[in-house]
Amino acid sequence: MPPDTLRLSPEALAAHPPDAGVALPRYDRAALRPAIVHLGLGAFFRAHGALYTEDVLNARGGDWGIVGVSLQRPDQRDRLAPQGGLYTALERGPGGERARVVGNLLEVRVAPEDPAGVVALLASPETRIVSLTVTEKGYCHDPATGRLREDPPDILHDRRAPDAPRTALGFLAAALGRRRAAGMSPFTVLCCDNLPHNGALLRGLVRDFAALFDPDLARWIAATVPFPSTMVDRIVPAMEEGDLAAAQAATGLADFAPVVHEPFRQWVIEDRFADGGRPAWDLAGALLTGDVAPFEHMKLRLLNGAHSALAYLGYLAGHETIVEAVGDPTLSSYLQRLWAEIRPMVPQPPGQDLTAYTDDLLARFNNPAIRHRTWQIAMDGSQKLPQRLLSTVRERLAAGLPITALALAVAAWARYAGGVDEAGRPIDLRDPMAPAFRAALDAAGDDPAARLSTLLGLEPIFGTDLPVHAGFRAAVADAYQRLLTAGARAAAAG
Ligand code: CS2
């Protein structure tokens, strides 16, 4: 980047407006209030919920500003603060790129620097919605059962120091406790992570966490705080170095925090908000409904289930991205067999056709302008497998149906969790349960059957039923054997 390039900021934008092809905020930024606080500000929310909000502001103005909170690292704040919260969103489709500058982010806070300040922000009467994308592992729950885990160090910390928490659950409980003590109404808690029945799940977790130190608060939370469920969808790869140059080429201003996303987006939201307060997201195409479950089933199982399967098999087969993986004819025909196993177990949501849905998914995965890395999706498999693949596995087993393609996805996860790729190179395995995988594998020794068996015995992932299900074990063992002897591509050939 040339040293004299101006950095994106409200002043720079006013002085050097980009050409007409770049959409800019059309509303009065000064009228925005900190009405939404988003926990876990990352690329996904900035390319999804924040853009729906931006569209509503552009359509009719209003005061729905967003304050982002990073629960761990300062990097988002460090990139966005010098830009006055402005950032470029680059929509990339097969037909080219479209840029827009997004204006509704008021501020980014870094929770570890001032946890009490974040609790005060959430407890402020101006905060009406607290939304979250903290990833699956951020909920401190047991993925197989959805129950709160009371032993993670951060949960133990938050029980001891409830006024200076570290976890999302700790922040929510502390702030709701403040509001209750002050006789205020609660805010709405809007979970935007890819978890089953995400609103109800989070409600149970916040309630059970609060019950550890304040049973009255737990009861109040369960009785009065709205936790609508949502289904969120947009493919948003992690930022790459070249995206900075692309954002600058689009706007003429240097941006250190652009987001890249596909054209498609979907947001289905249970319409249950404290005092009815929410932006008119429906104006931007969100579906506000009474029942999110059918949409969530469809998306978690058909999109995310396929993503995880392609991530493990694709990575093992040497594919760096999803578009490369689906460009491999062996993997794309496997994908069709996988979807054929999943589709019959998914009730059709109103207005959706599941075959058309998977056809559209294939086109989305095939978007050559989106470099979505298999390694990125492979992360945190222990937290993803239950809702993406194992619920369908259970239903098919109960119905006496074969699970050949699903079992290969589970086997590929196990092969990947072994930590070494097909060329013998170490895999950079990122998973909160990685230490448990290592301990189990070390104890199992070199025998492949024992190694697989120990992984399939992990109850936080497989529950208590699948580890003792002979049909499940046999199907996965067969697929695992094929992976070991023939490799991922040949195994996917079926
Ligand atoms: C992906 C999701 O990283 C992953 O695990 O499967 O982030 C996926 O891209 C989104 O859910 C799409 O909406």
Side-chain angles (χ1 to χ4, degrees):
M1 188 163 300
D4 53 353
T5 305
L6 267 181
R7 177 107 179 239
L8 176 63
S9 70
E11 301 72 35
L13 200 60
H16 302 274
D19 70 41
V22 178
L24 302 179
R26 290 196 300 270
Y27 52 90
D28 177 13
R29 284 191 89 213
L32 298 179
R33 305 299 314 160
I36 301 175
V37 178
H38 186 79
L39 302 183
L41 188 79
F44 181 79
F45 181 75
R46 293 198 289 119
H48 186 267
L51 295 189
Y52 277 89
T53 308
E54 186 78 353
D55 286 350
V56 179
L57 289 167
N58 278 332
R60 58 149 71 159
D63 61 357
W64 288 98
I66 300 174
V67 176
V69 175
S70 295
L71 291 176
Q72 283 163 8
R73 289 178 303 276
D75 50 314
Q76 294 272 338
R77 188 268 322 271
D78 293 349
R79 289 166 181 266
L80 285 156
Q83 301 181 181
L86 295 177
Y87 63 93
T88 315
L90 297 170
E91 176 181 299
R92 288 198 185 136
E97 183 179 89
R98 281 202 308 170
R100 70 192 292 187
V101 175
V102 185
N104 59 43
L105 190 62
L106 296 171
E107 187 193 354
V108 183
R109 302 273 193 103
V110 182
E113 292 177 1
D114 181 16
V118 171
V119 173
L121 167 71
L122 298 175
S124 148
E126 290 209 282
T127 299
R128 302 177 68 189
I129 296 176
V130 178
S131 51
L132 298 91
T133 47
V134 296
T135 79
E136 294 85 347
K137 63 178 176 289
Y139 292 92
C140 308
H141 69 302
D142 181 90
T145 61
R147 281 200 214 101
L148 177 69
R149 289 179 52 219
E150 294 177 21
D151 56 336
D154 285 348
I155 290 287
L156 295 173
H157 169 275
D158 288 5
R159 288 174 66 173
R160 281 195 310 271
D163 295 328
R166 289 180 185 158
T167 66
L169 301 183
F171 280 108
L172 291 170
L176 289 166
R178 289 272 182 91
R179 289 175 88 114
R180 173 171 173 262
M184 289 162 61
S185 58
F187 44 73
T188 300
V189 184
L190 194 66
C191 179
C192 298
D193 276 296
N194 289 313
L195 289 163
H197 310 290
N198 56 9
L201 179 83
L202 180 53
R203 174 174 173 270
L205 293 170
V206 179
R207 178 199 59 208
D208 292 351
F209 174 73
L212 297 175
F213 54 89
D214 187 345
D216 285 342
L217 174 62
R219 273 190 289 276
W220 182 81
I221 289 172
T224 62
V225 182
F227 286 85
S229 282
T230 66
M231 181 273 254
V232 294
D233 190 8
R234 172 163 264 179
I235 292 174
V236 182
M239 191 181 78
E240 298 197 329
E241 215 35 54
D243 300 335
L244 302 187
Q248 188 188 327
T251 64
L253 297 166
D255 180 352
F256 289 89
V259 288
V260 167
H261 60 81
E262 63 169 341
F264 182 90
R265 70 181 183 184
Q266 195 174 14
W267 201 4
V268 184
I269 308 169
E270 192 183 352
D271 201 3
R272 216 154 45 78
F273 285 76
D275 307 319
R278 58 165 172 81
W281 283 316
D282 40 329
L283 286 184
L287 177 65
L288 277 298
T289 170
D291 187 12
V292 174
F295 294 94
E296 166 221 294
H297 262 78
M298 172 180 79
K299 193 262 172 173
L300 273 179
R301 294 181 182 205
L302 289 166
L303 188 159
N304 297 112
H307 249 178
S308 287
L310 287 173
Y312 298 115
L313 282 170
Y315 184 97
L316 293 169
H319 297 307
E320 206 191 330
T321 60
I322 289 293
V323 64
E324 266 178 43
V326 293
D328 177 335
T330 318
L331 290 189
S332 70
S333 70
Y334 162 76
L335 182 59
Q336 295 300 344
R337 296 198 304 281
L338 179 72
W339 277 333
E341 285 182 11
I342 302 173
R343 265 192 311 257
M345 317 319 285
V346 175
Q348 192 139 293
Q352 300 270 348
D353 173 84
L354 294 181
T355 306
Y357 183 76
T358 49
D359 288 349
D360 291 348
L361 284 183
L362 185 60
R364 291 170 62 193
F365 291 174
N366 249 321
N367 181 347
I370 294 285
R371 281 180 43 79
H372 202 186
R373 294 175 69 198
T374 47
W375 174 81
Q376 186 191 345
I377 300 168
M379 246 185 259
D380 298 341
S382 66
Q383 314 295 303
K384 294 175 174 172
L385 247 50
Q387 60 275 16
R388 295 182 177 206
L389 295 166
L390 301 178
S391 309
T392 316
V393 163
R394 282 194 177 85
E395 289 171 15
R396 286 187 68 89
L397 289 171
L401 297 167
I403 56 163
T404 318
L406 286 155
L408 179 61
V410 175
W413 163 80
R415 172 73 187 76
Y416 184 93
V420 178
D421 75 10
E422 291 186 353
R425 288 179 300 247
I427 296 174
D428 181 5
L429 181 68
R430 306 279 175 98
D431 195 297
M433 285 186 68
F437 301 166
R438 265 194 301 276
L441 290 167
D442 287 349
D446 289 336
D447 174 39
R451 289 170 74 77
L452 176 66
S453 178
T454 193
L455 290 175
L456 297 186
L458 293 167
E459 288 187 7
I461 306 173
F462 295 99
T464 50
D465 55 342
L466 291 177
V468 294
H469 193 294
F472 173 68
R473 280 187 167 267
V476 180
D478 183 54
Y480 188 72
Q481 192 52 41
R482 279 187 286 131
L483 282 172
L484 290 182
T485 49
R489 287 195 75 242

